[in-house]
Amino acid sequence: MHHENKKFIHLFKDGQFDDIYHQMSDSCKSHYSMDTFHHEASSFHHGIRRYRLLNEMMLNGNRYVLWSDFRKEKLLSVQFNRVNQIESIQMTVTSSSKETNPFTKNKYHLPFKEQWFVVSEGTNVGMYLHEPIRKKRDGYDFLKTKDQQPYNHRKVGMNGSYAFGEQVLSPLDGTVYQVVDGLADEPNPDHPLGNHVIIQHKHDEYSLLAHLESGSIIVKVGDQVKTKKLIARCGRSGNTLEPRLHMRVMNHPDVDTATALPIRWKGRKRPVRGKVVTSREEDAWSNGLVALDFSELLFYIIQAIPRLFFRFFG
């Protein structure tokens, strides 16, 4: 796939826009005439000498690739299908990379168990699906996948989704500030967050957990919740095509006026778009040897003895 990426970006850099247009699917061509695409691509590319690859993600048989200029002021995002046709291409001019929000004062845990796929993350410019502006961008979308597939195609409907019905946990101790429930598990652009919970934490930080399953929320306003305790289950409510979990941390409980904050995560590894993140690794990194049971600790000590011997006597 790296060869295909290089081939595409060389064509774009060399102005071979007609060749790129012929690689587009019929659906993608319906958004551009050849002349329109040539004009927009030429205008976008003007002044750029080199492109850098920011991110590549494989999901559901599609490949999503993101390039930028070296100042990250221009973003080129391309979706390729299974047969390497271009399904979508977005050329964005932005200066938002120069804007920064303060990181959270609290450190947050992942709001789930086991492994989830990071489909969107706002810490890095261009990798967040929802909001292009800096104020709203620092959030995450997680999918439950198997072999880069969000569905088991042997099953029908929501039963085939690996994420639907999975447990959603509180990312930190706090007080439930807002609960919205009762919206159907179907795409709803009028209620983009769908069923959701907002939790107030210390330092006046508020976590938002959205796209929850209808009727699955087990907390109410005013409840005290502990870290990693069940609060709901993942659903498909709100502005989403498939079951997923959205999380962000804000400086205010009013979603419309709040600023989303880059999240400081518990442990060493932060979620990155296109990668799988696991809560078990988070626990091990966070707690060190305390996370190991006695047999694991004994095994660790036995392994360490030869290293210590050769260090001091070798």
PDB file of all heavy atoms in Angstrom, residues 231-252:
ATOM      1  N   ILE A 231     -21.772   2.783  33.019  1.00  0.00           N
ATOM      2  CA  ILE A 231     -22.790   3.843  33.003  1.00  0.00           C
ATOM      3  C   ILE A 231     -23.808   3.633  31.884  1.00  0.00           C
ATOM      4  O   ILE A 231     -24.934   4.119  31.973  1.00  0.00           O
ATOM      5  CB  ILE A 231     -22.159   5.243  32.877  1.00  0.00           C
ATOM      6  CG1 ILE A 231     -21.382   5.380  31.574  1.00  0.00           C
ATOM      7  CG2 ILE A 231     -21.285   5.554  34.071  1.00  0.00           C
ATOM      8  CD1 ILE A 231     -20.917   6.801  31.307  1.00  0.00           C
ATOM      9  N   ALA A 232     -23.427   2.902  30.825  1.00  0.00           N
ATOM     10  CA  ALA A 232     -24.348   2.715  29.695  1.00  0.00           C
ATOM     11  C   ALA A 232     -23.736   1.685  28.749  1.00  0.00           C
ATOM     12  O   ALA A 232     -22.721   1.049  29.066  1.00  0.00           O
ATOM     13  CB  ALA A 232     -24.582   4.040  28.969  1.00  0.00           C
ATOM     14  N   ARG A 233     -24.371   1.546  27.567  1.00  0.00           N
ATOM     15  CA  ARG A 233     -23.843   0.663  26.528  1.00  0.00           C
ATOM     16  C   ARG A 233     -23.781   1.409  25.197  1.00  0.00           C
ATOM     17  O   ARG A 233     -24.542   2.347  24.963  1.00  0.00           O
ATOM     18  CB  ARG A 233     -24.699  -0.608  26.410  1.00  0.00           C
ATOM     19  CG  ARG A 233     -24.611  -1.466  27.672  1.00  0.00           C
ATOM     20  CD  ARG A 233     -25.333  -2.792  27.565  1.00  0.00           C
ATOM     21  NE  ARG A 233     -25.198  -3.551  28.793  1.00  0.00           N
ATOM     22  CZ  ARG A 233     -24.186  -4.365  29.082  1.00  0.00           C
ATOM     23  NH1 ARG A 233     -23.205  -4.530  28.190  1.00  0.00           N
ATOM     24  NH2 ARG A 233     -24.134  -5.018  30.223  1.00  0.00           N
ATOM     25  N   CYS A 234     -22.873   0.973  24.365  1.00  0.00           N
ATOM     26  CA  CYS A 234     -22.653   1.632  23.080  1.00  0.00           C
ATOM     27  C   CYS A 234     -23.836   1.394  22.150  1.00  0.00           C
ATOM     28  O   CYS A 234     -24.369   0.276  22.067  1.00  0.00           O
ATOM     29  CB  CYS A 234     -21.367   1.096  22.439  1.00  0.00           C
ATOM     30  SG  CYS A 234     -20.964   1.849  20.859  1.00  0.00           S
ATOM     31  N   GLY A 235     -24.253   2.447  21.440  1.00  0.00           N
ATOM     32  CA  GLY A 235     -25.371   2.338  20.515  1.00  0.00           C
ATOM     33  C   GLY A 235     -25.081   3.007  19.184  1.00  0.00           C
ATOM     34  O   GLY A 235     -23.919   3.253  18.827  1.00  0.00           O
ATOM     35  N   ARG A 236     -26.182   3.323  18.467  1.00  0.00           N
ATOM     36  CA  ARG A 236     -26.052   3.987  17.173  1.00  0.00           C
ATOM     37  C   ARG A 236     -26.906   5.250  17.125  1.00  0.00           C
ATOM     38  O   ARG A 236     -27.284   5.716  16.046  1.00  0.00           O
ATOM     39  CB  ARG A 236     -26.447   3.035  16.038  1.00  0.00           C
ATOM     40  CG  ARG A 236     -25.968   3.512  14.669  1.00  0.00           C
ATOM     41  CD  ARG A 236     -26.377   2.594  13.548  1.00  0.00           C
ATOM     42  NE  ARG A 236     -27.822   2.570  13.341  1.00  0.00           N
ATOM     43  CZ  ARG A 236     -28.405   2.134  12.221  1.00  0.00           C
ATOM     44  NH1 ARG A 236     -27.663   1.690  11.216  1.00  0.00           N
ATOM     45  NH2 ARG A 236     -29.717   2.110  12.105  1.00  0.00           N
ATOM     46  N   SER A 237     -27.233   5.807  18.248  1.00  0.00           N
ATOM     47  CA  SER A 237     -28.081   6.997  18.274  1.00  0.00           C
ATOM     48  C   SER A 237     -27.276   8.223  17.867  1.00  0.00           C
ATOM     49  O   SER A 237     -26.069   8.298  18.075  1.00  0.00           O
ATOM     50  CB  SER A 237     -28.668   7.191  19.681  1.00  0.00           C
ATOM     51  OG  SER A 237     -27.643   7.351  20.649  1.00  0.00           O
ATOM     52  N   GLY A 238     -27.966   9.207  17.272  1.00  0.00           N
ATOM     53  CA  GLY A 238     -27.302  10.440  16.892  1.00  0.00           C
ATOM     54  C   GLY A 238     -26.790  10.426  15.465  1.00  0.00           C
ATOM     55  O   GLY A 238     -27.187   9.595  14.645  1.00  0.00           O
ATOM     56  N   ASN A 239     -25.886  11.323  15.181  1.00  0.00           N
ATOM     57  CA  ASN A 239     -25.380  11.499  13.817  1.00  0.00           C
ATOM     58  C   ASN A 239     -24.216  10.548  13.563  1.00  0.00           C
ATOM     59  O   ASN A 239     -23.051  10.947  13.510  1.00  0.00           O
ATOM     60  CB  ASN A 239     -24.958  12.950  13.600  1.00  0.00           C
ATOM     61  CG  ASN A 239     -24.686  13.253  12.137  1.00  0.00           C
ATOM     62  OD1 ASN A 239     -25.125  12.529  11.258  1.00  0.00           O
ATOM     63  ND2 ASN A 239     -23.957  14.319  11.879  1.00  0.00           N
ATOM     64  N   THR A 240     -24.528   9.272  13.400  1.00  0.00           N
ATOM     65  CA  THR A 240     -23.514   8.262  13.109  1.00  0.00           C
ATOM     66  C   THR A 240     -24.148   7.153  12.281  1.00  0.00           C
ATOM     67  O   THR A 240     -25.318   6.802  12.491  1.00  0.00           O
ATOM     68  CB  THR A 240     -22.910   7.686  14.396  1.00  0.00           C
ATOM     69  OG1 THR A 240     -21.946   6.677  14.059  1.00  0.00           O
ATOM     70  CG2 THR A 240     -23.967   7.078  15.303  1.00  0.00           C
ATOM     71  N   LEU A 241     -23.390   6.607  11.355  1.00  0.00           N
ATOM     72  CA  LEU A 241     -23.918   5.559  10.483  1.00  0.00           C
ATOM     73  C   LEU A 241     -23.795   4.184  11.098  1.00  0.00           C
ATOM     74  O   LEU A 241     -24.555   3.280  10.757  1.00  0.00           O
ATOM     75  CB  LEU A 241     -23.187   5.592   9.130  1.00  0.00           C
ATOM     76  CG  LEU A 241     -23.398   6.861   8.291  1.00  0.00           C
ATOM     77  CD1 LEU A 241     -22.565   6.786   7.011  1.00  0.00           C
ATOM     78  CD2 LEU A 241     -24.875   7.040   7.957  1.00  0.00           C
ATOM     79  N   GLU A 242     -22.813   3.999  12.005  1.00  0.00           N
ATOM     80  CA  GLU A 242     -22.648   2.699  12.632  1.00  0.00           C
ATOM     81  C   GLU A 242     -22.461   2.887  14.130  1.00  0.00           C
ATOM     82  O   GLU A 242     -22.109   3.965  14.587  1.00  0.00           O
ATOM     83  CB  GLU A 242     -21.446   1.943  12.044  1.00  0.00           C
ATOM     84  CG  GLU A 242     -20.088   2.471  12.474  1.00  0.00           C
ATOM     85  CD  GLU A 242     -19.622   3.625  11.649  1.00  0.00           C
ATOM     86  OE1 GLU A 242     -19.383   3.423  10.457  1.00  0.00           O
ATOM     87  OE2 GLU A 242     -19.488   4.735  12.203  1.00  0.00           O
ATOM     88  N   PRO A 243     -22.698   1.845  14.924  1.00  0.00           N
ATOM     89  CA  PRO A 243     -22.485   1.946  16.372  1.00  0.00           C
ATOM     90  C   PRO A 243     -21.039   2.311  16.678  1.00  0.00           C
ATOM     91  O   PRO A 243     -20.104   1.671  16.183  1.00  0.00           O
ATOM     92  CB  PRO A 243     -22.832   0.545  16.881  1.00  0.00           C
ATOM     93  CG  PRO A 243     -23.769   0.005  15.853  1.00  0.00           C
ATOM     94  CD  PRO A 243     -23.279   0.535  14.548  1.00  0.00           C
ATOM     95  N   ARG A 244     -20.873   3.334  17.477  1.00  0.00           N
ATOM     96  CA  ARG A 244     -19.545   3.776  17.888  1.00  0.00           C
ATOM     97  C   ARG A 244     -19.676   4.551  19.186  1.00  0.00           C
ATOM     98  O   ARG A 244     -20.778   4.935  19.583  1.00  0.00           O
ATOM     99  CB  ARG A 244     -18.890   4.647  16.819  1.00  0.00           C
ATOM    100  CG  ARG A 244     -19.590   5.989  16.608  1.00  0.00           C
ATOM    101  CD  ARG A 244     -18.809   6.874  15.648  1.00  0.00           C
ATOM    102  NE  ARG A 244     -18.682   6.284  14.332  1.00  0.00           N
ATOM    103  CZ  ARG A 244     -17.871   6.731  13.386  1.00  0.00           C
ATOM    104  NH1 ARG A 244     -17.103   7.783  13.642  1.00  0.00           N
ATOM    105  NH2 ARG A 244     -17.817   6.167  12.211  1.00  0.00           N
ATOM    106  N   LEU A 245     -18.564   4.797  19.825  1.00  0.00           N
ATOM    107  CA  LEU A 245     -18.546   5.575  21.059  1.00  0.00           C
ATOM    108  C   LEU A 245     -17.759   6.858  20.822  1.00  0.00           C
ATOM    109  O   LEU A 245     -16.622   6.823  20.353  1.00  0.00           O
ATOM    110  CB  LEU A 245     -17.907   4.771  22.183  1.00  0.00           C
ATOM    111  CG  LEU A 245     -17.690   5.502  23.512  1.00  0.00           C
ATOM    112  CD1 LEU A 245     -19.017   5.980  24.099  1.00  0.00           C
ATOM    113  CD2 LEU A 245     -16.951   4.621  24.500  1.00  0.00           C
ATOM    114  N   HIS A 246     -18.385   7.979  21.136  1.00  0.00           N
ATOM    115  CA  HIS A 246     -17.701   9.269  21.046  1.00  0.00           C
ATOM    116  C   HIS A 246     -17.394   9.763  22.452  1.00  0.00           C
ATOM    117  O   HIS A 246     -18.231   9.702  23.344  1.00  0.00           O
ATOM    118  CB  HIS A 246     -18.577  10.297  20.329  1.00  0.00           C
ATOM    119  CG  HIS A 246     -18.002  11.680  20.349  1.00  0.00           C
ATOM    120  ND1 HIS A 246     -16.938  12.051  19.551  1.00  0.00           N
ATOM    121  CD2 HIS A 246     -18.311  12.781  21.090  1.00  0.00           C
ATOM    122  CE1 HIS A 246     -16.643  13.320  19.790  1.00  0.00           C
ATOM    123  NE2 HIS A 246     -17.454  13.781  20.720  1.00  0.00           N
ATOM    124  N   MET A 247     -16.172  10.256  22.639  1.00  0.00           N
ATOM    125  CA  MET A 247     -15.782  10.831  23.927  1.00  0.00           C
ATOM    126  C   MET A 247     -15.019  12.126  23.702  1.00  0.00           C
ATOM    127  O   MET A 247     -14.179  12.222  22.809  1.00  0.00           O
ATOM    128  CB  MET A 247     -14.903   9.863  24.723  1.00  0.00           C
ATOM    129  CG  MET A 247     -14.398  10.467  26.034  1.00  0.00           C
ATOM    130  SD  MET A 247     -13.321   9.348  26.967  1.00  0.00           S
ATOM    131  CE  MET A 247     -12.687  10.473  28.223  1.00  0.00           C
ATOM    132  N   ARG A 248     -15.332  13.116  24.517  1.00  0.00           N
ATOM    133  CA  ARG A 248     -14.517  14.328  24.581  1.00  0.00           C
ATOM    134  C   ARG A 248     -14.565  14.876  26.001  1.00  0.00           C
ATOM    135  O   ARG A 248     -15.459  14.529  26.769  1.00  0.00           O
ATOM    136  CB  ARG A 248     -14.978  15.370  23.555  1.00  0.00           C
ATOM    137  CG  ARG A 248     -16.218  16.125  23.939  1.00  0.00           C
ATOM    138  CD  ARG A 248     -16.592  17.204  22.920  1.00  0.00           C
ATOM    139  NE  ARG A 248     -17.255  16.656  21.740  1.00  0.00           N
ATOM    140  CZ  ARG A 248     -18.062  17.369  20.953  1.00  0.00           C
ATOM    141  NH1 ARG A 248     -18.284  18.646  21.218  1.00  0.00           N
ATOM    142  NH2 ARG A 248     -18.633  16.825  19.913  1.00  0.00           N
ATOM    143  N   VAL A 249     -13.607  15.731  26.333  1.00  0.00           N
ATOM    144  CA  VAL A 249     -13.594  16.418  27.619  1.00  0.00           C
ATOM    145  C   VAL A 249     -13.661  17.917  27.337  1.00  0.00           C
ATOM    146  O   VAL A 249     -12.931  18.429  26.478  1.00  0.00           O
ATOM    147  CB  VAL A 249     -12.343  16.070  28.446  1.00  0.00           C
ATOM    148  CG1 VAL A 249     -12.312  16.876  29.744  1.00  0.00           C
ATOM    149  CG2 VAL A 249     -12.323  14.579  28.761  1.00  0.00           C
ATOM    150  N   MET A 250     -14.516  18.631  28.086  1.00  0.00           N
ATOM    151  CA  MET A 250     -14.796  20.036  27.810  1.00  0.00           C
ATOM    152  C   MET A 250     -14.560  20.880  29.070  1.00  0.00           C
ATOM    153  O   MET A 250     -14.542  20.364  30.181  1.00  0.00           O
ATOM    154  CB  MET A 250     -16.251  20.189  27.353  1.00  0.00           C
ATOM    155  CG  MET A 250     -16.658  19.244  26.232  1.00  0.00           C
ATOM    156  SD  MET A 250     -18.443  19.306  25.867  1.00  0.00           S
ATOM    157  CE  MET A 250     -19.118  18.588  27.384  1.00  0.00           C
ATOM    158  N   ASN A 251     -14.449  22.182  28.849  1.00  0.00           N
ATOM    159  CA  ASN A 251     -14.260  23.098  29.969  1.00  0.00           C
ATOM    160  C   ASN A 251     -15.584  23.649  30.500  1.00  0.00           C
ATOM    161  O   ASN A 251     -15.598  24.507  31.387  1.00  0.00           O
ATOM    162  CB  ASN A 251     -13.342  24.263  29.565  1.00  0.00           C
ATOM    163  CG  ASN A 251     -13.964  25.169  28.496  1.00  0.00           C
ATOM    164  OD1 ASN A 251     -15.002  24.849  27.905  1.00  0.00           O
ATOM    165  ND2 ASN A 251     -13.314  26.296  28.243  1.00  0.00           N
ATOM    166  N   HIS A 252     -16.699  23.167  29.936  1.00  0.00           N
ATOM    167  CA  HIS A 252     -18.025  23.674  30.308  1.00  0.00           C
ATOM    168  C   HIS A 252     -19.046  22.612  29.911  1.00  0.00           C
ATOM    169  O   HIS A 252     -18.863  21.901  28.927  1.00  0.00           O
ATOM    170  CB  HIS A 252     -18.302  24.997  29.581  1.00  0.00           C
ATOM    171  CG  HIS A 252     -19.489  25.747  30.093  1.00  0.00           C
ATOM    172  ND1 HIS A 252     -20.782  25.483  29.678  1.00  0.00           N
ATOM    173  CD2 HIS A 252     -19.585  26.752  30.997  1.00  0.00           C
ATOM    174  CE1 HIS A 252     -21.619  26.294  30.295  1.00  0.00           C
ATOM    175  NE2 HIS A 252     -20.920  27.076  31.108  1.00  0.00           N
TER     176      HIS A 252
END
